[in-house]
Each structure stands twice: as C-alpha cells, then as structure tokens.
Amino acid sequence: MGSSSSSMDHIPNAEELMQETGFSAAHLLRLYERFEFLDKDQTGELRPEDFGAIGGLALNPIGDRIISAFFSPGQETVDFPSFVRVLAHFRPNGTNRTRNGTQQEPVNSRTRKLKFAFQLYDQDRDGKISRAELLQVLRAMLGIQVTEEQLQSIAERAIQEADLDRDDAISFDEFKKVQQVSPHPQTPTKETPLHPTEGGR
Amino acid sequence: MVATWHFALLLSVLLMVSRGLANEVTPDHGVDTSISEPAAGNETQSQHNTTGDSGHAGGHGGEPITTLPIVTWKWHHVSTPYLVALWILVSWLCKLVIEANHHVTNVIPESALLICFGFILGGMVWGADKVQTFTLTPTVFFFYLLPQIILDAGYFMPNKLFFGNMGAILIYAIIGTCWNAASLGLSLWGCHKGGAMGDLDIGLLQYLLFGSLMAAVDPVAVIAVFEQVHVNEVLFILVFGESLLNDGVTVVLFNVFDAFVSLGGSQIDAVEIIKGIISFFVVAFGGSLLGFVFGLLVSLLTRCTKNIQIIEPGFIFVLGYLAYLTAEMLSLSAILSIVFCGVCCQKYINANMDEKSVSTVRYTMKVLANGSETMIFVFLGISAIDKTIWVWNTGFILLTLLFIMVYRFIGVFFLTWILNRYRLVPIGFIDQVIMSYGGLRGAVAYGLAVMLDENKIKEKNLMISTTLIVVYFTVIFQGITMKPLVTWLKVKRAAVTELTLIEKVQNKVFDHVLVAIEDISGQIGHNYMRDKWNYFEEKWMSWALMKPSVRKSRDHVFSVFHQLNLKDAMSYVAEGERRGSLEFIRNESAFIDFKKKFGDEFSEAMPDIMANMSDDHGAASDRRRDPVPSVSLEMHEQTMKGMRETEDINTHHLLQQHLYKGRKQHRHRYSRSHFDVNKDENEVQEIFQRTMRSRLESFKSAKMGVAPPKTISKYSKKDQQQKMPNGKSLDRSKSYYSGDEDFEFSEGDSASGYDASGSTFPMRVTYRAGAGIENPAFMPDMDPMTPIQIPPWLMEAELDSGMVAPSQRAQVRLPWTPSNLRRLAPFRASAQSNDSFMLADAPATQQRDDEELPPPPSPPPPPSNRDGGYM
C-alpha cells in the first residue's frame, strides 16, 4: 500500500508511541505506511483534504466530523504521532491479549472511546450535547427520509431519555450512563478490529 | 383444578381414539397423515384393508341399500383425517396440561414432559392394541412436521447476530458435525473390534452412517430447552445457529454414507470419496442457494399482493414449503433451503406486507411450529412403547452415550480454541461448557434412524433403540440439568435492555465511526464489509424487492422512534381507559404489555433490529418474571407468558380497539403512501373525512388564489348533516383531534370548522351561521370550480351530492346496515375505501361481503383529493 518501503527507523519516536498507544511494531508500521499513502504531498502532515480524498469517507454521513476529530482545535494539520494517538482509541481493549494498559487510563479504554464519540457530537466542546448538536448529527444520518419536524421530535425524545439532570442537554456522564445501562449487542464491534488477525475475518 | 379437568378431557379423547382403533383400525395409505400404522396393523385388520379411495367410495354406497338410512356410521370415510386431527388435539392438550403446572415446568423442561406424556399415551395405545399403532414415521416427520419448525426458525432469525457470528456457526456446524460423526463412528468401530459389545453385525461404514445420524444437534430440542434457560445472546445464537445448520449437514452426511453403504466397502475408492465430498458441498450450498432464490421470490411476490391481502400471508408458507420440497426433489439440503428462505425474505416481506398480514404470518408461524414441535415430542415418546424395536446392547448404547458427550466436549473446546484466536470477543470457558452440554439430540436423529434400510443394516433396530435412548437422555436428563448448571456456573444471562432512542442513535454513530476509521487506517475489515453489504442491500436488493412506498421511511433510528412513540401512545390510552387517570402510566407493567404486542405488530418497520425487538420483548416480560433471552427466537414464549395473565388479554383487547390513538405516529410512516394511511385507525377516518374535505377545498382554492374559508361551508355542511346521527363517534374523533397538534390541520379556520362540526349542536349552528355569511360572497367562484373536481364518472350519477360521492353510496347502503353506518360511511367517503375497510374490526366484517361483491362502480376519489389530503 505504502509507496516507500518504510521500516521502523523512519517512524519518529516509534518506541514512545508504541508504549503510549499499545500498538505493536507491526501495527505501527502498517499505520505509518498508510499515513504516508494518505500524505499525498509528502509533508509529513495530513490536512483535512487528505482525509477527504478517501473514497469511502466521502460517503460517510458523519465523515467530516470524524475527520475533524483528528485535528486538535485550531490546527490545520495532523502529524503521525497524533494520527496514531487518535486511532489508538479504537484499538480493541484487550480482554484477550493486551493487558498492558490497565494500570492507568489506557487510551483505548471504554471511557476514552465514549469520549471520542461524545466529541463527535459536541462540536462546540462545551462538554454538553445540546439539542442543536444532536439535531445536526441526526440530520446527517437520517438525511432526507425524515422531515424536519420529525427530526426535532426525535432529538427531543433522545435528549429526554438521556438527560438525567434536566438541563436539556446531554453531559458526558449522562452519555456514558446511557451506554452503560444497556450493553447493546453491538457494543463489541465498537472497537474496530485494528488487530491484524481481525482483518481476515 | 383446571389441570385435573383438562386431564379428564384428555383421557376421554384418548379413550375415543383407542376405541376407534380397537374396533376398526383403518389402513393408512395416504401420506398426508401424521399417524402411520405399521404393517402389522394392516395385516391383523386385513378385513378392513380397503384402500383409502375405496374407503371414501364405500361411504357413498358401495353396497345396495334396502331402505333410506337416516344417518349412517361412516368411520372409514373420515378415519384418516379424523385420527390426524385427534392426535393433534391430544398432543396439544398434553401441552396444555403441562403448561398449566408451572412449578413442574420450572424444573423439568416442557420437551421432557411431553416425551413422558408420550410414554403414557403410547402405553395406553399399546394396552388397547397390543401393538404400537402409531409411531413417528420419517415421511410424516420430514414432510409435515419439520418444515414449519425450520421455517419459523429462519423467519425469526436475528439476522445481524446470525451473520455476525456466521463464521463461528459454520465452523461448528460443518467441521464440528463431521468431527462428531467421524469420531463416534470410528470409536464405536474400535470398541467393536476390541470386543466391547459382543457379537454385532455392523461394519465400519455402518458405524460411520450411525455416527452421521447421531452427529447433529437438534434445533427442536435445543430451542425447547434453551428458551427456558435464557443464556446470553451470543451463546444462544451459536448453539441455535449451529443446531439449525448442522441438521442440513447431517442429512447430507447421512445420505453420502448411506450411498457408501449401498455401494459396499469394496466399491469405494478415492474417486467415490471425492465424489462424496463434492456432493456434500453441492448439496449444502445448493440447498442454501435454492432457499435464497425462493426467499427472493417470496419477497418479489409480496410486492404485488396488496389486492389480495387476505391470502398474502399464505404465500410465505406455501413458497417456504415449496422451497423445502424443491430442494428435496433435487436432492439438495431441504433444511438449509428452508432456513435460508426464511432468513432472506424476512426483511422484505415484513416491509412489503400489510402489518396485519405480518402479524398473521408471525402468529401462524408460531402456531404451526409450536404445534408440530409438541407433536414431535409426544410422538417421540409414543414411539418408544413398542416391543418390536427394542434391542438392548449395553455396550453399544452406553458407549454411544459416552462418546457423544466426550466428543462433543472435545470438538467444541477445540474449535472454540481455534475460533478464539480470531474472535474479537472470545467465547468464554463457561460458555463453551454450556455449548457442549447443550448438544441435545432429537427427532432428526430418530427420523434418520428409522429411515435406515433394514436389508443393508442388520442392526437397524439396535440403532433405533440407541437413538431413542440418546434422545431421551439428552432431552430429559441434560434438559433438566441445564438450568441448574447455568445457574451454578453463573453463565452470563441475557442482558435486560430497554430500547432507547439515544442508544440507537449512538449505535448508528458508532457504525459510521468504525467504517470511517477503517477507511482511514486503510483496513478492510468486518465493518467495511458490512457497510458495503448494507450499501448494496440498500441500493439494489431493497430497490428490487420492496415496494417503493415502504422503501423510504425505513431508517432504524426513525423506526425506533416510531416504536417508542407507539409504545407511549398505547400505554397512554390503556391506562386512561383502565384507571381513568394517568397516574398508572408510571407503572411498568403497562409498558410491558404494549411492547410485547406492538413489538410483534410493528416490527416490520424495523426488521433489521428485530433482534432488538425481541430483545425488547424479553426485557419487557422480564421485569416481573424470569429473565428472558434478549434474542429470543421463540416469540411464542413471551406471548404465552403474557397470555397467562388475563390482564394482558385485556390490554390486548384495549389495544385493538384503541389503536387509532397512535395515529400521530402512524402518520409518519404511512403518509407517503396514500393507500396505507389510517389503515387500522378506523376512527381517524372520520376525522379525515371531515377535516380533509374541508381542508382540501380550502387548500385548492388557496392555490387558485381564492380565500380558503368559503369552501368548507358548502361541502362539509351537507356531510355534517349526514353524519350527525353518530354523535358518539364525532365526540371521539373530536377529542383526538384536539389532543393532537401534530396532525397538522394548521389553519385555524378549518380547524374551528371541524371542531364545530364535531361538537354540540349550538356550536354547529354558529358555524353554519358563519358559513352562511361567507357562502354567498364566494358562491360565484365555486360553481366553475366544481366540475373540475368531480371526475367525469361522477358527473352524471352523483353530481347532486357533490364531492362526497362515496359517502352518498354509503348512504344508499344505510338501510342494510344501520348499525354499521357509523363505521362504513366514513370509509366509503374516504380515499381508501377497500383496505381500511377490510381492516375494520368485528361489526364491519359482516358487512364486507355485501360491500365488495358488487364491485363498486368505483368512483376512485378525485386524485387531487388524495394528494392534497396527505401532503
């Protein structure tokens, strides 16, 4: 996939990154190749447009939100370590193999995963999902199928369900609680299979 | 008390049956009976040995008569169907008796009790006849009892879970089954050679054949036991999916080995073995493919059945059965065929068919499946009481039991070990134990054993007895111990979940995020594949197989929203009805019933999250009872639990009556297809009839640049007078309307016009006065407009009644059906005459024939009417 046959030496701070994110060397290498592949103009940094060039992402209704989650506020580019750190959220939290990160909050813990998802909603980063923010996401996902007022009542209802302190917005704690109360069958897949063995399934 | 009565009834029925038998056992040449008699029966009763045809003919006078008989005794005429019906009745009564004793079924699973009942019944028949007259024959089992159970399983399959774990299921089903068959056959053969079971005339191939018929875990037994245990959904789908698919596998294996046995050991060379392996795959995948094709066929068919809604549900059963028979005809795997037929069509038929049809399908499916499951177990018991089949060989039987257990454990643990290397969420140790222990054998094995050819396999009876012992052991012993074991091992039970909207939204977001991350990291993984499939499915399959009208509003988040709204609306109504106050709405029991009922009825809106639905049911019935598996394929279980309480029945009744209150929600789904609007909200028709007409007029005239209010008066006034007699319904519709701002007759004037028409007379008078004022001013405008709106076919005959032609017809019919006027008139007046009409409940149904027989010289209501009305 990657144009250059990169080895671990090319990756800056490889050791540190591995420790921090829990990725294995093979993962890191693969991600680095991917990073270089995405980095069309070889600046060593990715711009939003680079992400936009990914075909599937353009079709994704919340693709732009996910892209923007890679960029820390105010920044126009993302370098490889940050790229990896974001992706590390999605490493399977090791019930089976990798138990290394349990001593302190690992980047791929359930809370951090939820936090990531939470930030997709919380565009103004005030720590709450307001009704307007929820509505935006809903609108993106439901698209033209549903009329505006239906969307609004869905948003209304969703907020009511989660909103425990009646402030008409969903805080992160409330958000977390919703997901914890009801472990949905789908939750396992929430961790994207970044492990190489997963890809084959 | 009740149970005793039931039992007495049962016994009397039984007595009738056995007396009928003892006196005149009839030959049974038809295949369409669930009771087949062994050859012995025919011989001993040879004087009656007329064929089924002559039996029929004889009833009509084979012999000369001397005088006119007033009544005659024509037992032969009806004997076969009569006995079939009686046995069905008896089996079901057994189930009734069993289910009446809760404390027993809590300990001993129902399937085990049914087998025990079978023992008793078999004993009685034996006592009366000295021969076992009724046994389960392979023909009956495979052609008449099994298909509906498998179709049911396929139709209610939680697709997402099933396909998500497809890899594991396939590995267990194919490799695991082959392993079981081979290891059992070889080990028994080894033990035989070692002299563990004396002198038996069984060769290696016969052992392998026996192994293959014993290999499969039986879905009927597994469902029967696991549905009472409520394990977590992944474990459930693994055991269940495996048992379903490996039935297909085991039948294939059985056929291959059967052919080998026929060929004889000397003829089998490498070529034959390779052919056997190829045939295995061809049969298995060919069957699945055939089922898929039939599934698509059903889906396509339901696209165009809107005019024959009454028999629409029948297509699913007929085509499902045809899928089974076709596969059988082509010697492909019939079981796999019907499974995949059910799996493939569920989404599309649920979407395409009317919701009444969907619930009909669901319930009929359950009735058939549950009924034949009951019969299978009872007859498994009955078949045992037959001296002729019992051949005892301690070594053979005990070793078979032992090997089955041991190899099942080994197989499951080994395969799981391999799978866990690739699974994101590994299967835990305890789950593996339960999976192994859940390897129940059942009627499929017995059916296959009976099919063995006595000429080729000398020890057929030993194999049958062994199979029966194994079935009894696994179903009764393992079935009884399963629940304590699950409790003792603290197996993760089904999670009790409440369906929430935010969660659904969240899961949708997660889906998108995962796909995006896979895109970014350049990995083609599970989510990527699923996304691609969804895209394909959405774009092509749905396009081809779904009605255009239902395709649109199918988003999951939206359907959850819809469902939640329905739930609320239903509980709101019921509690209001029951208590006269809404305080009770906080009581959870209200929610329970509604979820359950309406999950069934409306889940066609969301076939993909059917898993959630049944989940939801489970959670619902849970609160006060046992936990229920969150993915339960046995919807009947919850339904039955609910039905045990009269409270639930009441609620159901209330629901049926008051469904219309949900129209706020219905509107979302139905408004796009005019045909479906208000389908089951009879009363809403009245609202429509009134308000729509006036709204339409005002709408149109507004378009034409005329002020709206004028139109109301002319047409609705006339209609009011027609409708005023039914004061009650007016009252009701009025209250609905006012309670529901979402109904969007936004303009004040028409609303007030409506309200006025719906309320008491004085108000109406004021309204008319208003109309009177407005009318003259605008009348000149009106007249040129009228002809435009009245279609030509209405012009001559019904011009006098203006726009309201249909209601005029309703008026004409008034003398026939005074009692139904209230209901019918609005229907006729509305745009959707037929369909809403058919769905009107009881009183209207009598009327239906009258209404439909003379094909209405049907003035399709002015097209503009509809469009304006619902947009």
Side-chain angles (χ1 to χ4, degrees):
Chain A
M1 205 176 274
S3 48
S4 64
S5 63
S6 44
S7 72
M8 287 304 284
D9 309 333
H10 294 112
I11 305 174
N13 304 329
E15 281 296 313
E16 245 171 71
L17 272 178
M18 274 162 61
Q19 284 236 303
E20 188 186 336
T21 60
F23 281 123
S24 71
H27 289 151
L28 210 58
L29 201 57
R30 237 178 57 107
L31 288 177
Y32 191 65
E33 284 172 7
R34 179 69 181 170
F35 183 82
E36 288 193 321
F37 172 77
L38 292 177
D39 186 17
K40 290 280 189 289
D41 42 10
Q42 307 293 331
T43 55
E45 289 180 327
L46 293 182
R47 287 165 301 118
E49 300 88 75
D50 292 325
F51 284 102
I54 303 172
L57 216 50
L59 291 176
N60 200 317
I62 53 171
D64 49 344
R65 283 166 185 265
I66 295 165
I67 293 172
S68 68
F70 278 83
F71 299 90
S72 32
Q75 290 219 299
E76 288 298 306
T77 56
V78 58
D79 57 358
F80 182 66
S82 324
F83 179 73
V84 173
R85 268 181 218 116
V86 175
L87 285 181
H89 283 103
F90 295 92
R91 207 168 54 80
N93 53 1
T95 42
N96 44 355
R97 287 169 294 268
T98 49
R99 293 186 184 279
N100 47 4
T102 40
Q103 54 273 35
Q104 73 246 7
E105 175 106 339
V107 71
N108 61 340
S109 72
R110 187 183 173 83
T111 313
R112 295 287 293 271
K113 284 184 165 95
L114 286 174
K115 189 83 188 167
F116 184 90
F118 184 77
Q119 277 165 359
L120 292 181
Y121 292 95
D122 186 20
Q123 293 289 291
D124 58 5
R125 315 221 170 188
D126 63 349
K128 283 182 186 310
I129 302 175
S130 70
R131 181 183 314 220
E133 283 164 345
L134 182 63
L135 200 58
Q136 280 173 7
V137 176
L138 279 173
R139 193 176 293 133
M141 289 199 309
L142 285 164
I144 52 166
Q145 297 164 342
V146 180
T147 67
E148 184 64 27
E149 72 216 53
Q150 286 166 357
L151 272 181
Q152 269 166 12
S153 48
I154 291 178
E156 171 80 42
R157 170 128 200 173
I159 295 240
Q160 270 176 17
E161 278 174 4
D163 185 19
L164 302 174
D165 56 7
R166 306 269 165 242
D167 62 349
D168 211 21
I170 303 174
S171 70
F172 181 62
D173 283 338
E174 288 161 350
F175 185 78
K176 211 161 87 178
K177 207 159 277 168
V178 167
Q179 297 295 319
Q180 272 165 358
V181 164
S182 44
H184 193 267
Q186 216 177 345
T187 1
T189 58
K190 196 172 58 184
E191 300 129 11
T192 205
L194 263 184
H195 197 275
T197 53
E198 249 339 281
R201 281 186 60 209
Chain B
M1 284 341 97
V2 179
T4 325
W5 274 109
H6 287 156
F7 195 66
L9 182 60
L10 175 84
L11 282 183
S12 62
V13 170
L14 189 79
L15 276 179
M16 273 170 64
V17 175
S18 35
R19 213 191 59 199
L21 288 172
N23 293 342
E24 24 200 334
V25 169
T26 42
D28 177 25
H29 294 278
V31 282
D32 60 332
T33 164
S34 62
I35 303 113
S36 301
E37 298 153 22
N42 287 344
E43 283 161 30
T44 54
Q45 304 284 336
S46 54
Q47 69 272 24
H48 290 292
N49 210 349
T50 50
T51 63
D53 288 331
S54 71
H56 284 255
H60 293 292
E63 357 176 320
I65 50 167
T66 50
T67 175
L68 181 74
I70 295 175
V71 286
T72 49
W73 172 255
K74 293 197 283 188
W75 166 248
H76 291 296
H77 193 53
V78 295
S79 60
T80 304
Y82 202 87
L83 285 176
V84 171
L86 268 187
W87 273 114
I88 293 176
L89 178 70
V90 170
S91 317
W92 290 1
L93 286 177
C94 290
K95 182 160 181 139
L96 195 152
V97 173
I98 288 167
E99 284 300 323
N101 296 297
H102 253 317
H103 48 280
V104 183
T105 47
N106 280 340
V107 184
I108 307 173
E110 187 191 295
S111 46
L113 285 171
L114 283 171
I115 289 184
C116 295
F117 261 96
F119 291 153
I120 301 172
L121 291 174
M124 289 176 176
V125 175
W126 180 269
D129 286 6
K130 301 294 175 242
V131 67
Q132 189 46 266
T133 327
F134 306 101
T135 54
L136 190 60
T137 62
T139 318
V140 170
F141 175 70
F142 283 108
F143 283 167
Y144 303 105
L145 293 177
L146 191 60
Q148 57 265 45
I149 296 181
I150 307 289
L151 180 65
D152 169 79
Y155 179 75
F156 288 99
M157 183 70 75
N159 275 351
K160 192 165 186 179
L161 208 55
F162 180 66
F163 286 109
N165 292 293
M166 192 69 175
I169 291 173
L170 278 180
I171 286 189
Y172 286 125
I174 297 177
I175 301 182
T177 308
C178 293
W179 156 257
N180 282 347
S183 58
L184 177 66
L186 290 174
S187 311
L188 283 177
W189 182 67
C191 292
H192 181 199
K193 287 285 165 201
M197 38 187 114
D199 188 24
L200 285 178
D201 185 14
I202 306 180
L204 174 59
L205 280 175
Q206 277 97 329
Y207 272 120
L208 286 174
L209 179 61
F210 179 67
S212 69
L213 73 87
M214 290 302 303
V217 174
D218 186 70
V220 185
V222 164
I223 299 172
V225 169
F226 271 71
E227 70 165 346
Q228 300 188 339
V229 180
H230 316 313
V231 294
N232 63 71
E233 59 208 3
V234 174
L235 180 55
F236 183 79
I237 198 73
L238 285 179
V239 176
F240 177 67
E242 181 207 349
S243 67
L244 206 56
L245 296 192
N246 73 8
D247 262 350
V249 175
T250 198
V251 174
V252 177
L253 267 186
F254 178 83
N255 288 335
V256 170
F257 279 116
D258 198 35
F260 279 168
V261 169
S262 308
L263 277 174
S266 56
Q267 303 241 343
I268 297 173
D269 49 14
V271 179
E272 295 297 333
I273 291 175
I274 290 173
K275 268 161 114 183
I277 294 171
I278 292 174
S279 128
F280 177 87
F281 284 103
V282 169
V283 168
F285 287 100
S288 313
L289 196 68
L290 190 76
F292 184 69
V293 170
F294 267 91
L296 297 189
L297 214 63
V298 181
S299 314
L300 275 178
L301 205 67
T302 49
R303 268 190 77 160
C304 18
T305 48
K306 71 169 187 232
N307 295 325
I308 45 167
Q309 275 177 352
I310 294 294
I311 57 168
E312 177 175 73
F315 284 113
I316 286 80
F317 297 98
V318 171
L319 277 172
Y321 194 49
L322 274 180
Y324 188 88
L325 293 180
T326 312
E328 194 70 41
M329 182 175 71
L330 300 173
S331 77
L332 299 175
S333 170
I335 295 177
L336 290 178
S337 169
I338 200 169
V339 168
F340 279 97
C341 179
V343 167
C344 294
C345 70
Q346 57 168 244
K347 173 173 180 181
Y348 306 107
I349 61 175
N350 284 346
N352 281 344
M353 288 194 310
D354 174 63
E355 59 194 40
K356 298 260 178 188
S357 304
V358 171
S359 36
T360 309
V361 169
R362 297 168 83 93
Y363 277 97
T364 316
M365 202 80 95
K366 283 303 169 197
V367 170
L368 290 177
N370 215 298
S372 55
E373 183 190 297
T374 310
M375 296 189 62
I376 287 172
F377 283 120
V378 169
F379 274 90
L380 268 181
I382 292 178
S383 305
I385 313 296
D386 185 359
K387 249 197 302 202
T388 56
I389 62 162
W390 284 106
V391 179
W392 190 266
N393 181 322
T394 315
F396 188 82
I397 292 173
L398 287 186
L399 280 173
T400 306
L401 271 179
L402 178 74
F403 287 142
I404 280 179
M405 286 293 273
V406 170
Y407 289 124
R408 169 85 185 165
F409 270 90
I410 294 175
V412 167
F413 275 79
F414 178 68
L415 290 175
T416 315
W417 178 72
I418 295 178
L419 281 171
N420 273 351
R421 298 165 62 97
Y422 298 96
R423 275 182 76 88
L424 196 59
V425 183
I427 301 164
F429 176 76
I430 289 173
D431 284 4
Q432 295 176 40
V433 172
I434 296 297
M435 271 190 75
S436 315
Y437 199 70
L440 308 179
R441 269 49 168 196
V444 172
Y446 174 74
L448 291 174
V450 176
M451 269 166 71
L452 290 172
D453 183 355
E454 210 155 354
N455 298 323
K456 283 180 282 183
I457 295 160
K458 301 285 184 294
E459 304 287 351
K460 176 186 173 185
N461 278 342
L462 175 60
M463 289 187 180
I464 295 182
S465 351
T466 310
T467 311
L468 278 177
I469 298 274
V470 169
V471 170
Y472 298 149
F473 178 80
T474 53
V475 171
I476 299 179
F477 178 74
Q478 286 180 225
I480 292 173
T481 46
M482 180 65 85
K483 207 167 184 176
L485 189 72
V486 164
T487 322
W488 181 61
L489 288 175
K490 299 189 178 59
V491 174
K492 207 173 134 210
R493 299 295 189 98
V496 176
T497 54
E498 169 87 2
L499 184 66
T500 60
L501 193 59
I502 184 80
E503 195 193 335
K504 197 70 205 168
V505 173
Q506 192 49 43
N507 279 317
K508 191 102 173 169
V509 169
F510 278 139
D511 273 354
H512 287 307
V513 170
L514 289 182
V515 174
I517 293 298
E518 279 187 0
D519 278 336
I520 289 172
S521 66
Q523 179 161 16
I524 298 186
H526 197 75
N527 293 295
Y528 178 84
M529 298 306 285
R530 196 178 61 210
D531 193 54
K532 281 286 170 248
W533 164 253
N534 283 345
Y535 181 72
F536 170 79
E537 206 271 347
E538 200 68 24
K539 186 149 188 205
W540 296 108
M541 307 260 294
S542 297
W543 173 78
L545 300 174
M546 263 185 220
K547 284 184 195 168
S549 52
V550 288
R551 224 177 289 141
K552 292 175 192 162
S553 52
R554 297 189 50 78
D555 193 275
H556 297 171
V557 175
F558 183 69
S559 41
V560 173
F561 171 67
H562 170 71
Q563 193 203 347
L564 286 170
N565 276 343
L566 269 181
K567 191 180 80 183
D568 287 358
M570 297 312 158
S571 27
Y572 181 84
V573 176
E575 298 327 313
E577 289 279 330
R578 194 183 301 168
R579 294 282 173 101
S581 92
L582 296 176
E583 169 248 14
F584 190 66
I585 204 166
R586 288 285 137 227
N587 188 323
E588 286 174 344
S589 69
F591 281 60
I592 288 166
D593 306 332
F594 291 123
K595 260 194 221 169
K596 191 157 47 202
K597 289 301 346 150
F598 282 81
D600 283 1
E601 292 202 13
F602 293 108
S603 57
E604 96 275 27
M606 37 189 292
D608 276 2
I609 48 171
M610 204 97 92
N612 288 353
M613 274 303 309
S614 34
D615 199 352
D616 200 20
H617 299 172
S621 42
D622 237 343
R623 298 253 172 74
R624 291 169 306 171
R625 307 170 192 133
D626 304 333
V628 165
S630 58
V631 176
S632 170
L633 294 160
E634 287 294 286
M635 204 155 284
H636 83 271
E637 179 205 343
Q638 286 106 21
T639 311
M640 282 187 38
K641 278 194 172 181
M643 284 313 192
R644 283 184 197 125
E645 299 181 30
T646 46
E647 177 191 78
D648 283 10
I649 296 168
N650 287 341
T651 318
H652 184 181
H653 185 66
L654 283 175
L655 276 177
Q656 293 298 355
Q657 278 191 324
H658 300 280
L659 206 52
Y660 52 78
K661 280 234 174 174
R663 80 175 185 282
K664 170 176 168 187
Q665 291 78 31
H666 276 278
R667 191 177 61 95
H668 301 317
R669 273 178 51 216
Y670 293 135
S671 59
R672 290 188 177 86
S673 65
H674 63 88
F675 162 65
D676 277 335
V677 179
N678 307 327
K679 187 158 282 180
D680 36 9
E681 297 113 318
N682 307 332
E683 276 77 2
V684 173
Q685 291 291 353
E686 293 178 9
I687 301 174
F688 261 76
Q689 188 233 348
R690 287 164 192 291
T691 54
M692 274 304 152
R693 195 175 305 117
S694 50
R695 291 287 305 136
L696 276 175
E697 294 305 312
S698 59
F699 182 69
K700 267 184 238 141
S701 43
K703 259 198 205 162
M704 300 180 124
V706 189
K710 54 149 198 214
T711 47
I712 303 166
S713 47
K714 179 170 184 185
Y715 292 116
S716 55
K717 188 164 66 178
K718 177 163 207 155
D719 199 51
Q720 275 157 23
Q721 280 158 349
Q722 282 177 21
K723 295 294 157 357
M724 273 328 276
N726 51 353
K728 188 182 165 201
S729 57
L730 281 177
D731 250 18
R732 289 161 108 191
S733 46
K734 184 212 167 192
S735 63
Y736 302 144
Y737 175 71
S738 54
D740 188 0
E741 307 84 352
D742 200 17
F743 209 47
E744 275 190 304
F745 302 119
S746 43
E747 276 150 86
D749 54 356
S750 65
S752 70
Y754 168 77
D755 273 347
S757 74
S759 58
T760 49
F761 281 76
M763 278 188 75
R764 203 174 106 249
V765 170
T766 60
Y767 163 69
R768 285 207 288 185
I773 292 166
E774 281 169 350
N775 247 345
F778 291 96
M779 274 317 271
D781 275 343
M782 280 309 300
D783 285 335
M785 274 176 61
T786 322
I788 299 170
Q789 288 160 349
I790 297 176
W793 57 85
L794 282 183
M795 285 286 275
E796 306 161 15
E798 313 189 63
L799 193 55
D800 54 340
S801 70
M803 278 293 295
V804 210
S807 70
Q808 192 224 17
R809 276 197 314 157
Q811 215 175 12
V812 169
R813 292 181 193 285
L814 199 146
W816 306 349
T817 66
S819 66
N820 282 332
L821 173 65
R822 180 183 309 164
R823 182 160 272 138
L824 290 182
F827 279 139
R828 291 330 242 164
S830 74
Q832 306 76 22
S833 46
N834 268 356
D835 302 293
S836 43
F837 192 55
M838 305 219 294
L839 293 164
D841 37 34
T845 18
Q846 312 157 348
Q847 192 48 37
R848 191 171 65 223
D849 292 338
D850 292 347
E851 282 286 334
E852 286 184 342
L853 278 181
S858 166
S864 59
N865 215 354
R866 289 183 204 163
D867 296 340
Y870 300 113
M871 283 307 108

